[in-house]
Amino acid sequence: MSTNKIENILVIEDARTINTVITKELGRQGFDVAQAYTFAEAKNAIEKEDFGLIILDLHLPDGEGSELIAHIQSLTRTKVVVLTALTDDDLREELFQYGILDYIIKDTNLLYSIVEIIRVIEKIEHKNAETVLVIDDSTFICKQIRTILEPRNYRVITAHDAHSGLQKLADNSVDLLILDMELPDMHGEKVLELIRRDVRYLSLPILVLSGTATAETIRNVLKNGASDFLKKPFVYEEFVLKVDLWIDYFKQKKALKEKTHQLQFLNENLEKLVYEGIQKNHEKDKMMFQQFRQVQMGEMLSMIAHQWRQPLNAIGAAVSVINLRVQRGKFDLETAKEVSTKINRYIQHLSTTIDDFRDFFKPQKERRVTNFEVIFSKAHALIEDAYTVKNISLHTQVGEIESFLTHENELVQVVLSILKNAEDALMERNVPDPCVCVEIDGVTMRIHDNAGGIDKAIIEKIFDPYFSTKSQKNGAGLGLYMSKTIVEEHCCGHLEVQNRENGAEFAITLPKNDGDSR
């Protein structure tokens, strides 16, 4: 919220219809609005409460609104907007000297006048306490400028000679300089020259005041670097308009300069910024892939345990047979050959398992020609025992086989991750007769289960990083995110999901290898 925010407004207007219309319209704008219909009511309200803004009619049944302005200023720094049907230029000028924000004539279309009031409020609320430096040897002029500008949320600094003025210019961030030409220690033209010689102040707006307004004076002042000129004594409303104009211009120019610098920086560093962004994304993907692989390694160890349990038990049983026969004296050459053959077969099975898992984690930088039948057979070899132990039926339907060029091991990881997700869903939901079906047709593989499918409210999110449907969040929610990344970014294919029948179906499609199709 802006520090200049106007919270509450007092409308002082004896015409009840006009007062009500203004009050209601400002209320719709979100302001807290109070009403007064007479001089006495207004005075009483001002003494009891501080208002951010007063909208004042000049003619009241028991007094003049103009008299209230002095009373308001003696009690508070409340801002005043005059709303009147009176078009008196002398009075208008006098009231601006008292620091009113604006003098708005009641239009036949009252809503237009209200729009003008709202514009004044918006302008005041968006002021950021811009600093105005006044260098003038007249204490009266300095005080008068302060009276006019401070209610408009300007910060006013004054100096009465050139040297102190230049020092204050150096010590403060100034948005507008108001400079008198006749200073006691230096002529204004020399001050202008010194200021414009400093690169820091090349774009600073300078409004010159002078009691002399000959064509030669104005020409010299503007040629020496002044932005504008006002003859003393100046018209206060014109002065206010010019201050607002130059301040707004300076702000816009600074904003444009900053945007230009930003654009120039972006243009000069675009390639670097893009490279850094790509590197950050690569590092993020690398980290996620590492987490994904760590989770898979844990799952692989579990699968190895399943794969090895049966042959190890069989080897143990064979050793027991040998021991029993030796103890009974019945261990002969034929028995030794039979048991040795079995043990060698079991050892070969263990060795094959180690080779399968070693190949699974072997990085492949080069793509190779393969097909989904090969991919699935490798994934199936790794998960077969886990499915068997958990009584999950695995059905395959193989149609036409077409080859493609891809990172084979990475794609095996994707298929294994989807098969493992299906296993987890089936076990977590305790599905009777759990089943997973794999369909291969050309360069597309579809894997679907009978675990009940994915909730429609989250199906669009399952490929998001760290999103998981599992109650324990096993796998950190990276499996499907990394699977999609591998298929679509590494292998240039598509991975999609949909609910089918009584379960979820994942479909992987890769571009056909036309040069080497099977």
Side-chain angles (χ1 to χ4, degrees), residues 3 48 71 108 148 150 183 239 271 335 415 426 498 500:
T3 55
K48 288 183 177 179
H71 184 65
T108 51
I148 297 170
E150 285 185 344
L183 297 171
F239 171 79
E271 185 175 347
T335 301
V415 173
L426 291 164
Q498 64 177 345
R500 169 181 161 179

Side-chain angles (χ1 to χ4, degrees), residues 148-387:
I148 297 170
L149 295 185
E150 285 185 344
R152 311 179 77 83
N153 293 332
Y154 288 116
R155 173 175 172 248
V156 180
I157 303 172
T158 60
H160 300 303
D161 59 67
H163 287 93
S164 62
L166 291 172
Q167 186 60 51
K168 289 185 178 182
L169 178 62
D171 294 341
N172 295 273
S173 176
V174 175
D175 299 286
L176 173 69
L177 172 62
I178 298 173
L179 176 64
D180 182 26
M181 282 288 98
E182 291 79 27
L183 297 171
D185 56 342
M186 191 183 303
H187 194 270
E189 290 185 11
K190 180 64 176 176
V191 178
L192 266 175
E193 182 183 342
L194 291 174
I195 293 172
R196 290 308 190 202
R197 195 183 297 170
D198 191 325
V199 293
R200 293 175 297 174
Y201 309 124
L202 288 177
S203 61
L204 175 68
I206 300 176
L207 180 58
V208 166
L209 306 179
S210 177
T212 305
T214 64
E216 182 181 2
T217 301
I218 297 173
R219 181 176 63 249
N220 290 339
V221 163
L222 295 177
K223 280 190 172 183
N224 283 333
S227 306
D228 211 337
F229 179 91
L230 273 178
K231 182 182 182 303
K232 291 182 181 178
F234 47 80
V235 176
Y236 287 95
E237 188 171 7
E238 180 186 2
F239 171 79
V240 166
L241 290 172
K242 288 198 173 187
V243 168
D244 286 345
L245 174 69
W246 284 109
I247 287 284
D248 290 344
Y249 170 77
F250 187 49
K251 283 170 60 179
Q252 291 170 9
K253 190 171 182 179
K254 283 201 298 186
L256 179 60
K257 188 175 181 180
E258 289 174 4
K259 293 294 182 185
T260 302
H261 282 315
Q262 291 173 8
L263 184 60
Q264 185 178 359
F265 174 81
L266 287 174
N267 285 336
E268 292 173 353
N269 295 275
L270 183 59
E271 185 175 347
K272 179 182 176 183
L273 292 171
V274 170
Y275 176 77
E276 289 175 351
I278 292 172
Q279 289 301 110
K280 285 180 181 178
N281 284 335
H282 283 171
E283 289 299 317
K284 179 192 72 174
D285 287 345
K286 184 178 178 182
M287 180 187 70
M288 288 184 172
F289 192 74
Q290 186 64 29
Q291 293 177 13
F292 175 57
R293 292 295 290 271
Q294 288 172 354
V295 170
Q296 283 196 318
M297 287 179 70
E299 294 174 345
M300 291 299 102
L301 291 174
S302 175
M303 292 178 189
I304 289 174
H306 284 301
Q307 296 274 70
W308 278 15
R309 187 168 289 117
Q310 182 180 353
L312 286 173
N313 288 338
I315 290 172
V319 171
S320 297
V321 168
I322 292 173
N323 288 333
L324 286 172
R325 293 201 175 186
V326 167
Q327 291 173 7
R328 294 176 181 177
K330 296 182 178 181
F331 187 74
D332 53 23
L333 183 61
E334 184 178 343
T335 301
K337 287 181 179 180
E338 180 184 347
V339 173
S340 175
T341 299
K342 289 182 178 179
I343 290 176
N344 281 332
R345 189 166 66 247
Y346 297 142
I347 291 173
Q348 183 61 40
H349 180 75
L350 294 176
S351 177
T352 301
T353 301
I354 289 295
D355 288 340
D356 287 341
F357 283 95
R358 183 193 62 198
D359 290 342
F360 177 77
F361 284 109
K362 185 186 298 180
Q364 285 183 344
K365 292 185 179 179
E366 298 296 328
R367 294 189 296 170
R368 65 173 60 171
V369 176
T370 185
N371 59 65
F372 272 124
E373 189 175 38
V374 173
I375 298 293
F376 173 70
S377 66
K378 291 189 175 186
H380 180 249
L382 297 172
I383 204 169
E384 180 180 13
D385 279 9
Y387 269 44

Side-chain angles (χ1 to χ4, degrees), residues 33 93 143 402 463 471:
V33 187
E93 178 68 4
K143 182 179 179 181
E402 295 188 64
F463 293 116
S471 58

Side-chain angles (χ1 to χ4, degrees), residues 433-453:
D433 299 322
C435 176
V436 174
C437 297
V438 177
E439 300 174 6
I440 298 173
D441 186 18
V443 291
T444 298
M445 173 188 280
R446 303 180 191 279
I447 303 171
H448 62 271
D449 56 53
N450 63 338

